[in-house]
Amino acid sequence: KGLLVIIASVAVSTIRMSSSGRKPPNARGGRGGGRRRGKPSKEKPKSYNNNGVTAAKLSDEEVLIAFAPFVRDENPQAMKIQATFQLDNNQESFVRAARQFLENPHSEPEPSMPLVADIPCAADLEEEMTGLTVKEDPVVHVIQSPNRKSPAPPSGTHIASPISPPRLGNWQRNPPGLSITPPGIPMTPDSAVTTPVIRQSLVETHIPETPTTTTTETLTAKSKHVYQPKRLWTRIEEQPGRILANNVVIGNTLTLRPRQEFTAQWMLSVNYVKQHVSDEKGQEMASLRDALTHLTVGLFRRGCTQNSSSIISKEVVSEERRDYPFQIKGDVVVGSIPFYSPRTPGNVVLRLYWDDDALYTLATGPTLNVKVSQADVEPTLRFILSNFKAKKGSATSLSSLHSFTIVLETFQGYPNNNNRQGWEGAGRATWGCLCESRKVYEACAKEYLKQKDKLTKLQVEVEELRKQIEEEGDASDELAEKLKDKTGALMGGRASNERKWRDAQVAFANLLKALVTNPSCQLLTSRDVISRAQLECELWCPLCESFAPSPFNSDKDALCANIEEFPHPTTPTHFRQCAQNRAKMQVDSLGFIPSDKPLEQILFPPQNKRQGQRHSQAMDPVAVDAMNRLSASMGELYQKEYLVSDQIHKQRELVRSHVDSFLSRCDAFPQGTRVVVFGSSANGFGSPSSDLDMCLQLPPNMKLPDEDDDTGAKAMAKLAELFEAGGMKDVNTERLTARIPIVMFSCPRPMAGQGQDELVECDLSMQNPLACLNTSLLLTYSEIHPVTRVLASIIKRWAKNRDINSPSNHTLSTYGYILMVLHFLTYHSRTESGLVTTVDKRGNNQETLTPLLPNLQWMDPRWPDSPPRTPYLEMNAKPKQLLVHPLDPNGFVVNTYFYRLNDPAALARIQQRFPGQNLSLAILLASFFRYYACEFDYKRHVVSLNATASKGMVDREEKAELDCWRAYGTGLSIEDPFETFYDVAHVVKGSNFHRIRNEFAMAYTKIVSVATGQAGSLEDKEVKNMLGSDLIDWICEPYVKEEQKDS
């Protein structure tokens, strides 16, 4: 009996070693045809029944010894037996199942997923779809550019081609057999999309330099780097196939436990497969099995940049094992493949692609959320700990640190009973992960210092080289090129080194934050550990994205705090010491100490709180007076400088009519072409001095008379000639070669008043329907309540004066700031105390709060007409009003739906529902600055009008998966309301993003200083009883660069 226990423990430890990812030295490849790193071995474990010994005659000890190699090789049936044993810990049942397995060890296990006959294909899902899909307008509005065929690149440019040409064909308009799609997956009608789309944002152009000789080496050395996309066909409307997980379709989330089995169900058009074979082999399809060679289903972390970086991938057919089941149903090939979810938490997705051409994604599955339950906490932590130790605390273990952070963030126990019984094993694993996390953090610090020393030496070389060139006077081309290369390497190396060190600090700070903010973590670690983590959190500044030096370190130059030197027990004095060090770092880095104190604590000071109430009824009179003065001054400033008078509107209409008269005399455009105003002059967020942006709108289904004028540039040139002859000033045609041809000119101002400019600056572009729709959306928002326009005008003034409003200098555009304002207003609601709070109430079983501004793209159109006091309603799915993108040669489709206020009565009904009428402008301004300085999680979310109370924020991971945005980092990203694949903030560089965020914090700190009457670390300024106009001037004071300060 003792021998049985020993052998059983050895076998179980082998099983656990395999399940934790650590394999014995002789371990071989992955299970079930899944490819992992390293070549899978074709050798199979020996079977006792092949050697003349039946498994029934083996002792229990021999059964365990014989069964262990199959577990090491991750035989699917053996792994299932092992998983059962780990759940019920029944050794007798485990030995019996292992004995039965050894009777026929090489047989395939019975699939736990449905057979192919049970896989829902297109026709099987028709009835389900009828009840789940939203009634959509089948009409796709196709607004084309004049005679656009396919946009030709400018002369002398070269468009980077993909690695291999996409497989295109008429079958991809609406693949036969996929015309009826799974629930929630709309297929684009034939008239909308003719081929999968390669968006222009993914392909960059370059102008090759003229080489001295036409050798291959010279061309390679001289031509600039050509961007090659890492993944194409990322959106479902571009993809020829579909993939489900346990019958869950894309757009939904399937929650799984770690190491839980599920089934991937894929569908692919037969016509697409035939076309693929024809393109690849130049011949017709011989057999379906041969045609599916290299077809692969992979499991990826959501947002993974390449299809070649899967967690595990499985080919549908293989020469080394039995094929996964597939068959033809109608005009669709359907099949299924079993998978196990990863052992670590997070979001993963399934993708269908050709393994030999992984650039194109044929289908993307739903989000699979791997969530750790209480029963999974200990094995998950032990697996993460094994991953830490496998990498020996290297700087490359940040992925394990992220996984550990997610476990601490999502862990839910019962800490109130103060009973840690049953959590001892998880607690030991937690302590081990904490120790390993600190080792990784310290390894990152060492690597940062190491690279910093190398860069210092490189800087010395650059200075010596620059000095040599200055001494020689006329430097040779070789020296100049060498200096250029080394300078580039120095600047790039510094930026990369700082970014990596900053990412490591952010990751470790998130770990500490999860440990100290989740009350359930008290079950996993001691109070001493948590109190020291709280002390270390006091050193962290999210704006600097850095830890301040620890006051308790004996080595004052150390980058990392020495936790062993932290005091125990901790006292308020220790926390004050850490706060003082953080404040000193903030002054050195930012120039001021930012305030993150909530407005509630400013308007309702803690000392005035009454027992049992969230805040007292009596507000701080000093703060209230300061807020009232600021609100009044904001309204006065808007009335004085930003309100557009009726006279200005009339002048703009006269200018538009004047341009329209020129158009009527130009025979280059068809009859009925109109001049339409868009942009800041028409969207409600402009000012009296805004330029006049106009575009030409052709009649429906009409083209330019000149069929060779693809972009309309020739017709625009003729119109420009009429402008010059007709008295227009400064006519500029330099931008006629742009993707959207533009003519710039100045028009004499009609009815010019005193103090007005004599000329109106104008831009006239070729047809731009999306810009007009965008103008209509913003105008509708601005009409609902003037609060929106007043707030946006102050933000625009602040951004311009602080020099963070210039896309050409890699800062944010005015349009980007307006979208940030609209996101803030549509995602926040008014509280009973007059403050604001987010509307996200997912999981709280509360009714949806009415936002400060209704979300016009998600608000239920029935809500404005519902009885008073009806809770705010949102739609589950956005209705379809599709528009073919006019600039996309392949016809990429965008959804242009939003709730339109077509008459004054509709506007009046919305305004009655709007709760912002009683809001303080000052509270809105302060809350806006604080939201983007302290509350918004730039690492996980993007600014979007698709953020709603029911769906929450838009995840950065989701945008990385669907639109190939950057999945990691802490930069600013803003989703365009219609062109959702477009990041409005893509021009903002990392350093400029940090400055923009610091400006948000400084503006909020100035408001807090005046409200509390304490200037703090800001300038020596008298803040008591400061006038509202002076506070606005202080917030919006012009930015002075460091070199200008020195001069």
Side-chain angles (χ1 to χ4, degrees):
K1 181 177 180 181
L3 181 62
L4 173 62
V5 173
I6 294 173
I7 295 177
S9 63
V10 172
V12 171
S13 65
T14 305
I15 294 171
R16 287 179 176 169
M17 182 180 295
S18 175
S19 66
S20 66
R22 294 176 291 143
K23 297 184 179 180
N26 296 327
R28 292 182 284 271
R31 74 184 178 284
R35 294 190 310 282
R36 297 181 182 272
R37 294 179 181 177
K39 296 182 178 180
S41 173
K42 299 181 181 179
E43 181 183 353
K44 296 182 178 180
K46 294 182 179 180
S47 170
Y48 271 80
N49 56 2
N50 290 339
N51 294 333
V53 181
T54 62
K57 296 181 180 180
L58 297 177
S59 64
D60 290 347
E61 300 94 320
E62 292 171 330
V63 167
L64 294 174
I65 294 173
F67 183 73
F70 292 96
V71 177
R72 288 199 304 267
D73 286 310
E74 297 188 355
N75 179 284
Q77 191 171 354
M79 297 298 291
K80 185 174 294 187
I81 296 172
Q82 166 227 349
T84 304
F85 171 72
Q86 287 183 328
L87 290 175
D88 58 19
N89 202 26
N90 189 329
Q91 185 168 312
E92 181 179 351
S93 175
F94 168 65
V95 174
R96 182 168 61 253
R99 189 185 302 276
Q100 293 174 356
F101 167 80
L102 292 175
E103 291 289 346
N104 189 13
H106 301 314
S107 64
E108 289 288 337
E110 290 295 325
S112 59
M113 71 287 186
L115 299 176
V116 173
D118 299 326
I119 298 174
C121 69
D124 298 331
L125 294 169
E126 183 173 5
E127 293 183 1
E128 295 181 51
M129 190 183 68
T130 303
L132 293 177
T133 54
V134 179
K135 297 296 183 181
E136 298 172 357
D137 182 4
V139 178
V140 179
H141 304 283
V142 183
I143 301 180
Q144 301 175 343
S145 287
N147 296 323
R148 189 175 298 276
K149 302 169 185 175
S150 179
S155 176
T157 63
H158 169 70
I159 295 182
S161 59
I163 297 175
S164 60
R167 305 175 182 83
L168 308 178
N170 293 332
W171 46 265
Q172 263 176 335
R173 295 180 180 176
N174 197 352
L178 286 182
S179 55
I180 304 297
T181 57
I185 306 183
M187 289 296 295
T188 306
D190 289 1
S191 60
V193 176
T194 57
T195 57
V197 179
I198 302 175
R199 291 188 290 278
Q200 291 295 322
S201 59
L202 298 176
V203 182
E204 295 181 356
T205 62
H206 78 284
I207 302 176
E209 300 178 12
T210 305
T212 54
T213 60
T214 56
T215 61
T216 304
E217 293 80 2
T218 306
L219 287 173
T220 304
K222 292 291 183 180
S223 61
K224 294 182 180 180
H225 174 71
V226 178
Y227 170 75
Q228 293 287 2
K230 297 181 179 179
R231 190 161 54 91
L232 294 177
W233 298 1
T234 57
R235 283 185 168 263
I236 59 172
E237 56 264 27
E238 303 171 311
Q239 299 170 347
R242 297 289 180 263
I243 189 167
L244 292 74
N246 286 358
N247 294 332
V248 176
V249 300
I250 189 171
N252 300 298
T253 300
L254 175 63
T255 301
L256 300 170
R257 296 176 57 189
R259 192 66 184 163
Q260 180 177 341
E261 187 177 13
F262 66 96
T263 302
Q265 303 143 310
W266 58 270
M267 309 174 191
L268 204 57
S269 167
V270 174
N271 286 345
Y272 169 79
V273 177
K274 291 180 180 179
Q275 183 73 32
H276 169 74
V277 173
S278 176
D279 292 343
E280 288 293 315
K281 301 181 181 180
Q283 60 186 25
E284 295 185 359
M285 183 174 67
S287 68
L288 181 60
R289 186 183 185 281
D290 292 340
L292 297 181
T293 303
H294 299 299
L295 184 64
T296 304
V297 178
L299 187 65
F300 298 81
R301 289 290 174 187
R302 189 169 66 159
C304 181
T305 55
Q306 303 180 72
N307 286 339
S308 57
S309 304
S310 62
I311 300 173
I312 185 171
S313 58
K314 300 183 180 183
E315 292 186 358
V316 174
V317 299
S318 175
E319 300 297 334
E320 301 178 0
R321 52 157 180 76
R322 204 175 79 183
D323 297 341
Y324 291 109
F326 62 87
Q327 70 176 25
I328 295 180
K329 282 193 172 185
D331 292 328
V332 182
V333 187
V334 296
S336 64
I337 299 179
F339 278 92
Y340 284 96
S341 60
R343 300 177 188 275
T344 53
N347 294 318
V348 294
V349 294
L350 291 163
R351 295 179 192 164
L352 182 69
Y353 58 96
W354 300 105
D355 184 54
D356 59 338
D357 189 7
L359 178 66
Y360 300 96
T361 305
L362 307 182
T364 303
T367 298
L368 309 178
N369 178 241
V370 182
K371 191 173 182 179
V372 178
S373 64
Q374 288 192 10
D376 302 317
V377 171
E378 182 176 350
T380 301
L381 288 173
R382 290 193 179 279
F383 177 72
I384 295 173
L385 180 59
S386 68
N387 288 342
F388 271 126
K389 292 186 175 180
K391 296 184 179 180
K392 299 180 180 179
S394 69
T396 61
S397 299
L398 286 181
S399 59
S400 298
L401 197 152
H402 288 308
S403 298
F404 181 42
T405 301
I406 296 176
V407 174
L408 295 183
E409 286 177 344
T410 58
F411 171 59
Q412 294 181 352
Y414 305 97
N416 294 332
N417 56 16
N418 295 321
N419 184 8
R420 297 180 60 191
Q421 186 175 1
W423 297 100
E424 292 84 357
R428 287 190 292 270
T430 300
W431 173 248
C433 289
L434 285 172
C435 294
E436 294 297 326
S437 298
R438 190 167 293 278
K439 290 180 182 178
V440 171
Y441 177 50
E442 292 172 351
C444 291
K446 292 179 181 178
E447 182 66 21
Y448 168 74
L449 293 176
K450 179 181 177 182
Q451 293 298 323
K452 196 172 182 179
D453 290 340
K454 290 182 179 179
L455 292 171
T456 301
K457 295 178 181 178
L458 181 59
Q459 183 178 6
V460 173
E461 296 178 8
V462 169
E463 294 297 334
E464 291 177 350
L465 194 57
R466 184 177 288 113
K467 185 176 180 181
Q468 179 182 353
I469 292 175
E470 291 176 355
E471 291 176 352
E472 292 182 2
D474 187 13
S476 63
D477 293 340
E478 182 179 354
L479 280 179
E481 189 69 24
K482 188 176 181 181
L483 176 62
K484 179 180 177 182
D485 292 342
K486 289 201 172 187
T487 303
L490 176 63
M491 297 177 64
R494 281 177 175 172
S496 176
N497 195 36
E498 293 294 335
R499 176 180 53 79
K500 290 179 180 178
W501 173 231
R502 186 170 59 248
D503 289 346
Q505 293 183 90
V506 170
F508 190 69
N510 288 336
L511 170 62
L512 295 177
K513 181 180 177 181
L515 183 64
V516 302
T517 57
N518 185 356
S520 297
C521 289
Q522 298 174 18
L523 298 174
L524 301 178
T525 188
S526 64
R527 293 182 180 179
D528 174 38
V529 173
I530 293 179
S531 63
R532 292 189 179 191
Q534 290 173 336
L535 202 59
E536 195 167 4
C537 280
E538 284 294 317
L539 297 171
W540 171 251
C541 173
L543 293 174
C544 301
E545 291 190 339
S546 178
F547 284 96
S550 171
F552 315 113
N553 275 13
S554 55
D555 183 4
K556 300 301 180 181
D557 296 329
L559 290 178
C560 301
N562 187 351
I563 197 67
E564 295 181 357
E565 297 182 0
F566 272 45
H568 177 70
T570 57
T571 64
T573 302
H574 299 140
F575 282 92
R576 283 194 297 269
Q577 290 176 326
C578 291
Q580 290 171 359
N581 277 25
R582 184 187 70 239
K584 184 178 183 303
M585 178 190 70
Q586 290 170 335
V587 171
D588 294 340
S589 178
L590 307 176
F592 69 102
I593 301 175
S595 173
D596 60 351
K597 184 183 296 185
L599 280 178
E600 184 178 15
Q601 296 182 14
I602 297 171
L603 296 172
F604 303 94
Q607 60 268 23
N608 293 337
K609 285 188 176 182
R610 298 175 183 174
Q611 186 175 3
Q613 291 184 343
R614 187 176 178 182
H615 56 76
S616 65
Q617 297 299 321
M619 304 174 70
D620 184 357
V622 175
V624 172
D625 188 44
M627 289 295 181
N628 289 338
R629 290 195 303 268
L630 178 58
S631 295
S633 297
M634 289 173 64
E636 292 171 1
L637 180 63
Y638 175 78
Q639 293 281 344
K640 180 180 179 181
E641 297 190 18
Y642 295 97
L643 181 63
V644 181
S645 64
D646 292 339
Q647 182 186 8
I648 299 294
H649 285 301
K650 290 179 181 179
Q651 291 174 348
R652 289 172 177 173
E653 174 56 27
L654 289 174
V655 172
R656 189 206 66 80
S657 299
H658 191 39
V659 175
D660 203 15
S661 66
F662 283 100
L663 180 64
S664 63
R665 301 196 301 268
C666 184
D667 58 0
F669 296 92
Q671 192 71 22
T673 303
R674 299 189 306 135
V675 178
V676 180
V677 179
F678 70 96
S680 60
S681 296
N683 63 18
F685 292 100
S687 66
S689 59
S690 296
D691 297 343
L692 192 59
D693 296 319
M694 297 172 285
C695 70
L696 301 179
Q697 184 172 327
L698 302 184
N701 302 321
M702 294 290 289
K703 296 183 179 180
L704 294 176
D706 187 353
E707 295 183 357
D708 295 330
D709 192 5
D710 294 338
T711 62
K714 296 179 181 179
M716 295 283 287
K718 293 181 179 179
L719 186 59
E721 293 175 358
L722 293 178
F723 286 165
E724 289 182 332
M728 295 294 188
K729 308 295 183 182
D730 304 325
V731 179
N732 188 336
T733 59
E734 293 179 354
R735 297 179 61 183
L736 284 180
T737 56
R739 292 180 67 193
I740 300 180
I742 298 176
V743 175
M744 296 174 288
F745 60 96
S746 296
C747 178
R749 184 184 297 273
M751 301 188 312
Q754 186 176 3
Q756 289 186 320
D757 294 334
E758 296 181 355
L759 299 176
V760 178
E761 295 184 4
C762 304
D763 290 345
L764 180 66
S765 60
M766 200 58 224
Q767 185 150 296
N768 197 350
L770 278 177
C772 296
L773 285 168
N774 190 284
T775 299
S776 179
L777 173 66
L778 299 187
L779 177 62
T780 306
Y781 275 121
S782 69
E783 288 180 335
I784 292 176
H785 200 275
V787 163
T788 310
R789 300 193 296 272
V790 176
L791 182 62
S793 65
I794 302 299
I795 299 301
K796 288 170 58 178
R797 184 187 189 92
W798 161 80
K800 183 177 181 180
N801 288 351
R802 298 304 297 170
D803 195 27
I804 50 175
N805 184 209
S806 175
S808 60
N809 293 327
H810 301 287
T811 55
L812 191 60
S813 65
T814 300
Y815 176 54
Y817 285 109
I818 291 177
L819 290 181
M820 295 181 79
V821 171
L822 294 179
H823 164 77
F824 168 77
L825 294 175
T826 57
Y827 199 68
H828 284 78
S829 177
R830 183 182 185 275
T831 65
E832 294 180 358
S833 59
L835 303 177
V836 298
T837 183
T838 59
V839 296
D840 187 359
K841 297 299 179 184
R842 292 173 298 165
N844 293 343
N845 297 321
Q846 297 183 16
E847 66 181 26
T848 303
L849 299 175
T850 304
L852 301 173
L853 198 63
N855 192 316
L856 297 177
Q857 292 178 291
W858 286 98
M859 181 190 69
D860 193 320
R862 299 170 297 177
W863 179 69
D865 298 321
S866 60
R869 298 186 179 180
T870 301
Y872 179 74
L873 298 177
E874 291 177 343
M875 298 178 290
N876 294 326
K878 191 187 301 183
K880 302 289 184 182
Q881 290 184 359
L882 303 181
L883 170 70
V884 175
H885 201 295
L887 299 182
D888 199 305
N890 296 313
F892 184 79
V893 175
V894 296
N895 187 1
T896 62
Y897 169 81
F898 68 93
Y899 181 80
R900 290 165 170 82
L901 303 176
N902 297 320
D903 56 82
L907 176 60
R909 288 194 297 270
I910 283 289
Q911 290 175 337
Q912 289 175 359
R913 301 279 187 165
F914 179 55
Q917 299 177 20
N918 300 324
L919 274 177
S920 162
L921 283 170
I923 289 179
L924 279 181
L925 182 65
S927 300
F928 173 85
F929 285 135
R930 189 181 190 280
Y931 177 65
Y932 287 110
C934 308
E935 300 175 14
F936 190 86
D937 191 345
Y938 295 91
K939 184 179 179 63
R940 297 183 180 180
H941 302 139
V942 303
V943 176
S944 172
L945 293 181
N946 286 314
T948 64
S950 56
K951 299 180 181 298
M953 298 288 289
V954 176
D955 292 334
R956 182 180 288 272
E957 277 185 2
E958 179 183 352
K959 299 303 297 179
E961 181 65 32
L962 296 180
D963 297 308
C964 296
W965 291 15
R966 184 181 175 185
Y968 309 104
T970 55
L972 173 64
S973 294
I974 303 176
E975 182 185 58
D976 188 87
F978 296 137
E979 297 174 285
T980 55
F981 58 82
Y982 179 67
D983 182 3
V984 177
H986 74 282
V987 298
V988 180
K989 286 187 175 181
S991 58
N992 288 339
F993 158 69
H994 291 293
R995 199 170 82 76
I996 291 173
R997 191 178 181 186
N998 294 343
E999 290 291 344
F1000 280 125
M1002 178 179 288
Y1004 178 72
T1005 303
K1006 289 178 179 179
I1007 296 176
V1008 171
S1009 299
V1010 175
T1012 58
Q1014 301 174 359
S1017 63
L1018 295 171
E1019 303 174 5
D1020 186 13
K1021 206 171 190 72
E1022 182 59 40
V1023 297
K1024 290 185 178 180
N1025 300 319
M1026 178 182 285
L1027 296 177
S1029 57
D1030 292 340
L1031 176 55
I1032 293 176
D1033 291 341
W1034 190 27
I1035 293 172
C1036 303
E1037 65 179 346
Y1039 175 74
V1040 180
K1041 297 181 179 179
E1042 291 298 327
E1043 54 268 21
Q1044 294 175 336
K1045 291 180 181 179
D1046 296 338
S1047 61

